[in-house]
Amino acid sequence: MNPPAGLVTARAALPVRSLTFTALFAVAVFLGRLTILDGTSLSLVWPAAGVAAAWFCGTRHRWLDAVLLASVTVAVNALTGAGPVLLVGFVVTNLGQALLFAGLRRRWFSPGAGLGTRQLAVLLGTTAIACGVGSLGGTLTVAAVGAEPSWVGAAVWFTRNFAGLLLVAPVALRLEARVPVARPRTSRGRLELAAAVALSCAAYAGVFWGPAGIPLSFLPLAATIWLALRFDTTIVVATNLVVAAITVVGTFQGIGPFAGIDDLATRALVVQVHVGFVAVLGMALAVGRDERAELLARLSAASEQAQRDRSEAERNARFSDAVLASVGSGIVVADPHGRLLLFNDLARAWHGLDADDSLDPTDHADNYHLYGPDGVTPLTAAQVPLLRTLAEGSVSGAEIVIARPGAGSVPVVCTGRTVTDEAGTVLGAVVAMHDLSEVRAREEALARANAQLELHAGRVERLAVASRAVLTAEDPRQAVCDAAVEIAGAQAAFLAQPDGEGHLVATAATGMPEDFALHLDLRRDTSLTLSSYLFCEPVFVSDVAMHPQASPQLAAAGDQVSGAWQPVVAGDGHVVGVLCVVWHERLARLDPTTAAILTGLAAEAAHAFSRADVLAQLSEAADHDPLTGVVNRRRWDELARQEIARATRSRTPLTFALLDLDHFKRYNDTRGHLAGDELLRAFTKAAAAQLREVDTLARWGGEEFALVLPDCSAADAVAVVDRIRAAVPDGQTCTVGVCQWVPGADALTVVAAADEALYVGKRTRDTTVVGTLPGSSSGRGSAEPVTSASDVYSF
């Protein structure tokens, strides 16, 4: 009989697995033996513990694997110098430790539960027990060869096996079980993973191979925490294995923070404690993160389910409310023959009579004043909803009118059904009458509301368009006035704002007379505009001309009748203006929608003004030197090009100059940089006092300044700069290089010539030197310093 195909496959796989782990175990034992500490029988690391533990956790051919493990242990240890006693001890210790770990894991570990906090605790406990037994066996083995047992040696044995098992076994088991690795799906995530791994490895490399004495030991923990909190547990475990290898290699080579420990056993103990701590830290954080993620997923699923349940409950509640609302309906109950049995209170109030069981059913319409939907045509017996229900089994949506004389008409819609027993025999009928008066009133109100809503929506749309126009307008003030007239359906509007000198003036207007001007004294005048501004309150006046506070300027501006004043309030709460809207027809009141829209427009105006002010400030900051307040080099370059273009068109002279404060560094060094800054500010102020409005002084850099003088020849420029040199404050001096522009030259060329002249002048300092451009009629090709306008030299 042939065995099943699956069994054959399993048996065939066993030797492959055994041989694979045999090779891995041999390599691990060999690597461990290579790290034997000088003069001891202790290895710095023992990855073979992790390989053996993973090997025997999944073995189905224990005896074969045990023989293979023993053979590898004997062969490798013998090749690396271990004696017979150590060989036997190592075989027993390694095999016993692996079998104990595998047995405890099968007993306590729940494979289907995933690696959670509890499972991690089980893994750590299992590892600790197995390594404790292995440590005891190793200590006894060492004692058997004559070495004196010590707690340090036992601790080294325990920590190295613990670290090796905790680092290697999880990786091997997860790889063998083909546990899926949750790799980042996005390029950003993959880039973050690469950066985290690279940082982790680089941190350890920096600690062990970086410059000595630099405290970088915190970096590896930061990288471990980063990986553990952001990426899959398998990635964290694998990275821990890599950085542990870096730690061991560095220490074994005698470098890194642990190499300074003189006692070899203590060094090995500290290294393994460090490696084990990092591994436990990384796994604990990763496991905690996984559990939090799973908990959040469960909470999310529970929240979604709760939301679905809530929605279902709300639907049920609405259904129940609809059922209970029928209590507010008129209820009529009759027997199978149509004899009335019951009216509820509402039905009794509508009919003005109680149910009369002696009344012939054919007399119901006449006796209870039942009419058709028009309220005029009396119902026939066949049209009475109660009798129709008995004849048809049910009635729905039957509209009638109860028109009791002296009590008004009640339009109702009737719904009825028969009541039967289990055998299907009709026991009677129930009709519910719902008052349609409120429905009709709501329909009319809804029609009015829809019309109002359309009007409001149109205004809101216009407000949105106006807001965008205000925010994007080059002149937001004028845009506000235009928008106010458009939205409010007014004929004119103006904006009044303080001028900074105690007056309120009109800064923009629409629809006002061309000669309209508003100039109100904030302290002495009285007007509606001032009242709205000072008290930050909106004002509406139906008849402006008759109001005692009406401004004479406004009254004289035209034939306005009604007006509204809306304060424009900035974000910090202070009033920055008042928007006034004028209608040429009288309004009895300002409707709430228009008032709300004006409020919104005023708010948008405040934002627009703030934005315009900020843009102006940014423009000012971008073009001026923050220390001295004069224009900066970037703005000076623009102005220089503009002045050259203007001089080219007008064929007028144009001169450039560079000014440099003499001995400024010495001034800074002796008096301090704050004094130097104050000197620069004082110099620019003094220089500006010697210039015309059309001249431009700019800070060129450091203690150098540039000057452009339109409509000014070089000779005239020397007189100007000599006045500036004479005005340098605090007893200081400056040197100036001057050059007159010639047609065809650009600003850079002229400034270069002025700079060369300045360089010549710096040989003697406190002088003015005039340079010339190639092709200039006065060019000499040289320069000499001068001290007055009458001693100007050119080059």
Side-chain angles (χ1 to χ4, degrees), residues 350-351 363-381 383-385 388 398-414 433 436:
W350 285 343
H351 292 300
D363 294 332
H364 285 176
D366 182 57
N367 193 64
Y368 292 106
H369 316 291
L370 305 181
Y371 294 85
D374 60 3
V376 176
T377 306
L379 294 182
T380 64
Q383 294 173 326
V384 174
R388 283 183 56 193
E399 292 189 19
I400 65 173
V401 174
I402 304 173
R404 182 162 60 92
S409 300
V410 182
V412 297
V413 59
C414 301
M433 298 181 296
L436 295 178

Side-chain angles (χ1 to χ4, degrees), residues 123-458:
L123 175 63
L124 295 177
T126 302
T127 303
I129 293 173
C131 292
V133 173
S135 174
L136 178 60
T139 302
L140 295 177
T141 300
V142 173
V145 297
E148 183 179 353
S150 68
W151 71 268
V152 177
V156 171
W157 195 291
F158 175 85
T159 55
R160 73 169 192 181
N161 285 12
F162 186 93
L165 196 152
L166 193 61
L167 287 168
V168 177
V171 175
L173 290 173
R174 293 173 79 88
L175 291 176
E176 185 182 15
R178 297 183 180 179
V179 175
V181 180
R183 293 185 294 271
R185 298 182 179 179
T186 63
S187 341
R188 183 176 179 180
R190 289 190 289 271
L191 182 62
E192 182 184 0
L193 174 59
V197 173
L199 176 62
S200 182
C201 296
Y204 274 88
V207 169
F208 286 92
W209 285 280
I214 299 179
L216 300 175
S217 57
F218 65 91
L219 289 178
L221 290 180
T224 299
I225 293 172
W226 183 8
L227 281 165
L229 292 178
R230 295 287 296 160
F231 300 104
D232 185 75
T233 304
T234 300
I235 296 175
V236 175
V237 173
T239 307
N240 285 343
L241 181 59
V242 173
V243 298
I246 294 175
T247 303
V248 171
V249 171
T251 303
F252 191 74
Q253 290 182 352
I255 58 178
F258 309 116
I261 302 175
D262 295 330
D263 184 71
L264 296 179
T266 304
R267 183 191 305 173
L269 177 61
V270 173
V271 169
Q272 294 304 328
V273 168
H274 172 78
V275 170
F277 173 78
V278 172
V280 172
L281 174 64
M283 293 179 67
L285 290 175
V287 166
R289 182 213 57 225
D290 290 344
E291 286 189 334
R292 287 193 300 274
E294 182 180 359
L295 178 59
L296 288 175
R298 291 179 180 176
L299 288 175
S300 178
S303 177
E304 293 176 359
Q305 182 60 42
Q307 183 63 34
R308 289 192 293 270
D309 293 341
R310 188 181 302 111
S311 298
E312 182 65 22
E314 289 174 355
R315 286 193 294 269
N316 293 337
R318 287 194 295 271
F319 178 78
S320 299
D321 290 341
V323 173
L324 293 175
S326 64
V327 175
S329 303
I331 305 299
V332 178
V333 182
D335 65 11
H337 307 290
R339 302 284 180 174
L340 297 176
L341 300 178
L342 175 68
F343 281 0
N344 69 348
D345 292 343
L346 188 55
R348 189 180 305 112
W350 285 343
H351 292 300
L353 298 170
D354 202 351
D356 185 357
D357 58 358
S358 63
L359 186 66
D360 190 301
T362 58
D363 294 332
H364 285 176
D366 182 57
N367 193 64
Y368 292 106
H369 316 291
L370 305 181
Y371 294 85
D374 60 3
V376 176
T377 306
L379 294 182
T380 64
Q383 294 173 326
V384 174
L386 180 62
L387 301 181
R388 283 183 56 193
T389 300
L390 289 172
E392 301 172 12
S394 65
V395 169
S396 177
E399 292 189 19
I400 65 173
V401 174
I402 304 173
R404 182 162 60 92
S409 300
V410 182
V412 297
V413 59
C414 301
T415 302
R417 56 168 295 179
T418 56
V419 181
T420 60
D421 59 13
E422 295 179 356
T425 303
V426 176
L427 303 178
V430 177
V431 173
M433 298 181 296
H434 305 279
D435 190 355
L436 295 178
S437 300
E438 293 185 2
V439 174
R440 299 287 185 261
R442 283 198 299 270
E443 290 175 350
E444 294 175 0
L446 182 61
R448 292 192 299 270
N450 285 336
Q452 185 68 24
L453 182 60
E454 290 179 2
L455 177 62
H456 180 72

Side-chain angles (χ1 to χ4, degrees), residues 447-470:
R448 292 192 299 270
N450 285 336
Q452 185 68 24
L453 182 60
E454 290 179 2
L455 177 62
H456 180 72
R459 290 183 174 179
V460 170
E461 178 63 24
R462 290 196 296 272
L463 175 60
V465 173
S467 298
R468 289 192 294 269
V470 168

Side-chain angles (χ1 to χ4, degrees), residues 575-703:
V575 183
V576 297
V578 176
L579 175 63
C580 178
V581 182
V582 177
W583 290 268
H584 291 172
E585 69 278 0
R586 181 170 299 176
L587 303 180
R589 67 182 185 88
L590 185 65
D591 66 271
T593 301
T594 302
I597 288 178
L598 289 178
T599 301
L601 183 60
E604 292 297 335
H607 293 320
F609 298 163
S610 298
R611 178 176 176 273
D613 292 342
V614 169
L615 290 177
Q617 292 171 4
L618 291 177
S619 177
E620 177 74 13
D623 291 341
H624 288 74
D625 175 53
L627 176 64
T628 61
V630 298
V631 298
N632 56 25
R633 184 167 179 173
R634 184 187 68 82
R635 180 58 179 162
W636 190 90
D637 290 341
E638 296 175 357
L639 294 174
R641 288 193 294 269
Q642 295 173 8
E643 291 298 338
I644 287 177
R646 189 188 67 81
T648 301
R649 292 192 303 270
S650 61
R651 298 184 179 182
T652 55
L654 175 66
T655 302
F656 291 79
L658 288 180
L659 302 85
D660 184 89
L661 291 175
D662 297 328
H663 308 294
F664 184 73
K665 182 179 184 305
R666 184 173 62 190
Y667 189 93
N668 262 346
D669 293 341
T670 57
R671 304 195 186 189
H673 289 282
L674 294 179
D677 290 346
E678 184 58 35
L679 175 62
L680 291 175
R681 285 191 288 267
F683 172 72
T684 55
K685 185 176 181 180
Q690 309 302 322
L691 298 175
R692 301 168 298 171
E693 186 176 348
V694 296
D695 301 331
T696 299
L697 178 67
R699 189 175 181 188
W700 191 254
E703 69 274 19

Side-chain angles (χ1 to χ4, degrees), residues 505-566:
V505 299
T507 57
T510 298
M512 301 297 290
E514 292 184 0
D515 59 349
F516 170 71
L518 189 71
H519 194 272
L520 302 174
D521 191 302
L522 290 173
R523 294 180 296 273
R524 294 192 298 269
D525 290 342
T526 300
S527 73
L528 292 168
T529 306
L530 280 175
S531 177
S532 179
Y533 174 80
L534 294 174
F535 297 103
C536 188
E537 292 181 354
V539 177
F540 172 75
V541 176
S542 178
D543 191 344
V544 175
M546 298 300 294
H547 197 280
Q549 287 187 339
S551 170
Q553 297 98 319
L554 184 60
D559 58 348
Q560 64 275 0
V561 174
S562 298
W565 286 260
Q566 178 63 48

